[in-house]
Amino acid sequence: MTKDPLVVFTPSGKRGRFPAGTPVLTAARQLGVDLDSVCGGRGICSKCQITPAWGDFSKHGITSAEGALSQWNAVEQRYDDKRGLKPGRRLGCQAQILADVVIDVPPESQVHRQVVRKAASARVIEMDPATRLYYIEVDEPDMHEPTGDVERIARALSAQWGIEKISTDFSTLALLQPILRKGGWKITVALHNTDTESPPRLVAAWPGLHEGGHFGLAIDLGSTTIAAHLTNLETGVVIASSGIMNPQIRFGEDLMSRVSYAMMNPGGDREMTAAVREAIATLATAIAQEAGIDPSLILELTFVCNPVMHHLLLGIDPVELGQAPFALATSSALNLTAADLRLTTLPASAQVYILPCIAGHVGADAAAVALSEQPDRSEDLVLVVDVGTNAEILLGNTSRVLACSSPTGPAFEGAQISSGQRAAPGAIDAIRIDPATKEPRFRVIGCDLWSDDPGFAEATAATGITGICGSGIIEAVAEMRIAGLLDSKGLIGSAEQTGTARSRPEGRTHAYLVHDGSADGGPVITVTQGDIRAIQLAKSALYAGARLLMDEMGVDKVDRVVLAGAFGAHISPLHAMVLGMIPDVPLDKVTSAGNAAGTGARIALCNLAARRQIEAEVRRITKVETAIEPRFQEHFVAANAIPHATDGFPELAKIVTLPQVAFNAGGSGEDGGRRRRRRG
């Protein structure tokens, strides 16, 4: 019997089989995929736009070939003629599923659009930008002393500013003559200086005295999100921060899936490069509009990213990063232009600085964290963990700094979780479970009230309760362990074992019911055994990476832990410790650094000396390669237990007594399941 076509939606990862001819919008609704529609599928509102992805997707076990959707129809053509559809986009209400297909739901088509949490952290940065403005008065042309406009600009800079020599960006050269004449030979020029050996480069000019400022973009190009901070290059003030989903998600949620896509699909690397560059150009325009400035005033960009994102941004096939010895095309810092990266919404002469990479799996984002947090200047031993789809980990003090990356996967971002979603209004981001009654209470993004507070239902009526995001699933699993609903091996107990009907049978395992919104047409939100396993795998990889660095340093404990990254900023230290995500330390020694990679990008944007500093520092950092280190697997297996199979976590035990329950076959789960001691 022929199976119905399989459809996989990204970035949610939800999948299902539907009869041929089923509209994509119908399939999305039945699977609970976050796809917007206001007109009810009449092809009027266009909010249900989707992008089919073509190629072999080994991660999903699917080949998505052109022809898997019905042909472009008259309704789509009418909308395209009137308002325009981006190339490759379809209307979900019109496109019908005919064969196996992968469908990407872009951020603007999602009802609950992501709240990008990569806000700029407050930081005092000494201003020494690479790009500076100079007002000059230029001699008029003289037939008796023929010289070019550029030469007279150089002469004016020498006489008025003591700048003896300049070079000129080609794209700026064509604009100089009208600017000079419009300003009556009085102009403001922007000079970009990368070092003391090369002459400054003239990258922009304005007639007369330019008082509109000049700006830079510090961009954190992550596997899942792209965040940008628009910064005034005169004051260092961040005037706008914004972010979007990385569109490469449709080619694979994690880095190795994208490398695999490039390997299996000729030209796949170019597809991913084009997608991310277009997204960055779009983000630059959007953030400029938000700040009320002309994008032409953005003269400089800094990028931090992991090695795979680094290569795909540059248009380099990442295939070598998918196999030992994980060779980078280059690990050095790069100075480019917006034209080199084809960022078409920005001035072609806008200068781009990409921070150096540390190793094949430890990228410029880890270098940026090192620049921001400076473990090399710490008197005590500090572990810095940048939590994300691919975690970067630094361990060090004034004597030595070690670095590695650990493949945690997308579970911490809410992906591969049964009720998981991105951090958006309506998503559960915090939860507490009463150890006696086993009843949960929770908080959702967009509302400060807890679910048992008066007025919660009214306050969340607009967003609804839609799912659970990364910080929410971490707290849920940890709270289940504290409340005795989950044993140390990660098994969920039955209703009889746990004493609550919220433990529901699900096949041969059990799931814990967090919220049942079915009476009002909402979702049923549970934590399943599969969710627990996904979190166990992610947290075990994180802990194992940290333990490898501790082994290399020859220590069994660290003095303090810094949680970095947009996601790390929202993790509860207590719940991270209960899970065993990080090594055992006193809770007051666990702090959040916010988006440390983004802060490092801003420091490099605003301070030329900081670029030289990090370029030197990465050469001193010792790299530990988790992919080929046999001890990684040993640490990984031991870390599968919650919190750990062999580490007693004595600091955690001072605050929380974890129930000694076991829910294997024949386990009653009644031995101590109600005991708990907890701070506050």
Side-chain angles (χ1 to χ4, degrees):
M1 181 178 177
T2 305
K3 291 184 178 179
D4 289 331
L6 174 66
V7 59
V8 177
F9 287 93
T10 63
S12 68
K14 293 182 178 179
R15 58 170 59 205
R17 293 190 179 275
F18 295 88
T22 301
V24 171
L25 178 60
T26 301
R29 284 175 168 171
Q30 291 183 21
L31 289 174
V33 173
D34 203 13
L35 181 58
D36 203 357
S37 176
V38 172
C39 68
R42 296 181 179 86
I44 300 170
C45 72
S46 80
K47 292 184 178 292
C48 64
Q49 292 183 30
I50 51 95
T51 304
W54 311 127
D56 293 313
F57 295 86
S58 57
K59 179 181 181 67
H60 300 304
I62 189 174
T63 297
S64 180
E66 294 191 42
L69 294 182
S70 59
Q71 292 186 353
W72 180 268
N73 68 18
V75 174
E76 292 171 300
Q77 186 62 53
R78 182 184 66 205
Y79 181 83
D80 190 36
D81 291 341
K82 287 185 177 181
R83 299 185 189 175
L85 279 170
K86 288 184 180 180
R89 288 277 179 91
R90 298 290 304 273
L91 295 182
C93 63
Q94 301 299 311
Q96 298 176 355
I97 300 165
L98 302 179
D100 292 356
V101 65
V102 174
I103 299 288
D104 181 59
V105 181
E108 59 268 33
S109 296
Q110 297 172 18
V111 180
H112 305 284
R113 294 170 180 82
Q114 184 185 18
V115 176
V116 176
R117 296 179 164 189
K118 296 190 176 182
S121 303
R123 178 67 65 93
V124 176
I125 301 172
E126 180 183 350
M127 289 304 296
D128 179 25
T131 303
R132 295 178 179 269
L133 303 188
Y134 300 87
Y135 172 77
I136 53 175
E137 297 181 358
V138 182
D139 293 336
E140 296 185 31
D142 187 342
M143 289 182 62
H144 302 289
E145 190 183 344
T147 52
D149 287 345
V150 171
E151 287 69 29
R152 279 180 285 104
I153 288 172
R155 192 164 64 194
L157 283 166
S158 175
Q160 297 165 39
W161 289 95
I163 298 171
E164 296 303 327
K165 190 176 182 182
I166 64 168
S167 62
T168 310
D169 188 88
F170 178 74
S171 61
T172 308
L173 179 63
L175 306 174
L176 283 177
Q177 288 198 317
I179 290 172
L180 268 169
R181 283 146 185 84
K182 183 177 180 181
W185 312 104
K186 299 176 178 66
I187 66 169
T188 303
V189 296
L191 298 184
H192 180 80
N193 189 23
T194 55
D195 54 57
T196 56
E197 298 178 2
S198 305
R201 180 181 293 273
L202 198 162
V203 296
W206 300 267
L209 176 63
H210 173 68
E211 297 180 298
H214 67 303
F215 303 88
L217 275 179
I219 298 177
D220 180 1
L221 173 54
S223 310
T224 303
T225 58
I226 308 171
H229 306 299
L230 182 62
T231 306
N232 186 315
L233 290 180
E234 294 174 0
T235 65
V237 173
V238 175
I239 63 171
S241 295
S242 187
I244 56 174
M245 299 291 292
N246 187 332
Q248 293 176 343
I249 284 177
R250 68 176 181 266
F251 303 102
E253 287 109 340
D254 55 66
L255 298 179
M256 288 303 102
S257 292
R258 293 179 205 177
V259 173
S260 175
Y261 184 84
M263 289 177 173
M264 298 177 65
N265 297 277
D269 59 314
R270 294 191 294 275
E271 283 184 81
M272 289 185 280
T273 294
V276 77
R277 287 178 174 178
E278 181 184 355
I280 292 165
T282 300
L283 178 58
T285 301
I287 200 170
Q289 289 176 344
E290 179 184 337
I293 71 162
D294 191 316
S296 67
L297 297 178
I298 299 175
L299 302 183
E300 195 157 0
L301 301 91
T302 53
F303 280 94
V304 300
C305 42
N306 61 57
V308 173
M309 292 298 96
H310 175 277
H311 278 36
L312 290 174
L313 172 66
L314 294 173
I316 299 171
D317 192 332
V319 62
E320 291 298 330
L321 297 174
Q323 54 200 1
F326 314 112
L328 287 156
T330 179
S331 58
S332 300
L334 295 173
N335 290 282
L336 308 167
T337 67
D340 293 331
L341 298 181
R342 299 179 185 175
L343 303 178
T344 54
T345 61
L346 295 171
S349 60
Q351 301 296 297
V352 175
Y353 177 75
I354 302 177
L355 274 72
C357 291
I358 296 175
H361 279 164
V362 189
D365 46 2
V369 172
L371 179 59
S372 172
E373 298 308 304
Q374 299 185 331
D376 59 309
R377 300 185 183 183
S378 176
E379 293 297 330
D380 54 5
L381 187 61
V382 57
L383 180 74
V384 185
V385 182
D386 192 349
V387 186
T389 307
N390 195 63
E392 284 75 36
I393 308 172
L394 300 169
L395 177 67
N397 53 23
T398 52
S399 64
R400 191 183 184 201
V401 177
L402 312 177
C404 74
S405 69
S406 199
T408 51
F412 285 156
E413 305 276 358
Q416 298 180 349
I417 301 299
S418 60
S419 296
Q421 67 167 87
R422 306 296 175 187
I428 295 172
D429 68 342
I431 186 171
R432 301 290 182 269
I433 300 174
D434 188 289
T437 66
K438 318 298 184 186
E439 286 297 302
R441 62 190 187 100
F442 53 82
R443 204 171 52 201
V444 300
I445 295 174
C447 178
D448 292 331
L449 299 175
W450 287 85
S451 57
D452 58 351
D453 288 337
F456 175 81
E458 293 78 9
T460 58
T463 61
I465 301 165
T466 56
I468 189 164
C469 69
S471 61
I473 192 65
I474 283 179
E475 293 199 5
V477 176
E479 285 284 323
M480 289 171 66
R481 179 72 182 93
I482 292 170
L485 295 160
L486 189 71
D487 68 15
S488 63
K489 293 182 179 179
L491 292 172
I492 302 172
S494 67
E496 293 74 20
Q497 292 170 319
T498 61
T500 175
R502 286 185 175 271
S503 285
R504 297 181 167 189
E506 188 171 274
R508 300 177 64 183
T509 61
H510 295 87
Y512 176 72
L513 176 66
V514 175
H515 171 71
D516 186 350
S518 58
D520 300 317
V524 176
I525 299 172
T526 60
V527 178
T528 68
Q529 192 65 67
D531 299 338
I532 303 293
R533 291 298 182 226
I535 292 297
Q536 283 179 289
L537 292 174
K539 75 98 176 179
S540 298
L542 195 64
Y543 183 92
R547 280 298 316 186
L548 269 187
L549 297 189
M550 293 165 67
D551 289 348
E552 181 70 23
M553 191 69 81
V555 299
D556 289 323
K557 63 180 182 178
V558 300
D559 296 316
R560 60 188 177 95
V561 175
V562 176
L563 295 173
F567 178 56
H570 294 269
I571 297 174
S572 154
L574 172 66
H575 294 96
M577 197 74 73
V578 170
L579 271 187
M581 285 176 61
I582 53 179
D584 184 59
V585 295
L587 276 190
D588 61 359
K589 295 296 185 181
V590 183
T591 59
S592 170
N595 183 16
T599 300
R602 285 171 50 222
I603 294 171
L605 179 67
C606 295
N607 189 285
L608 191 56
R611 301 183 185 185
R612 306 291 86 84
Q613 175 190 334
I614 194 57
E615 288 169 17
E617 176 61 20
V618 296
R619 291 192 288 270
R620 294 192 291 267
I621 293 175
T622 301
K623 302 87 178 174
V624 176
E625 181 52 69
T626 58
I628 58 173
E629 176 54 66
R631 288 173 299 172
F632 181 84
Q633 188 63 25
E634 296 173 23
H635 289 310
F636 180 87
V637 171
N640 260 247
I642 301 174
H644 198 270
T646 56
D647 189 334
F649 275 65
E651 295 295 339
L652 177 65
K654 296 175 183 178
I655 304 164
V656 177
T657 300
L658 297 177
Q660 299 301 307
V661 293
F663 299 132
N664 55 353
S668 68
E670 296 175 354
D671 48 344
R674 296 183 182 274
R675 290 185 60 241
R676 180 181 72 158
R677 189 173 76 251
R678 180 173 179 176
R679 174 184 292 172

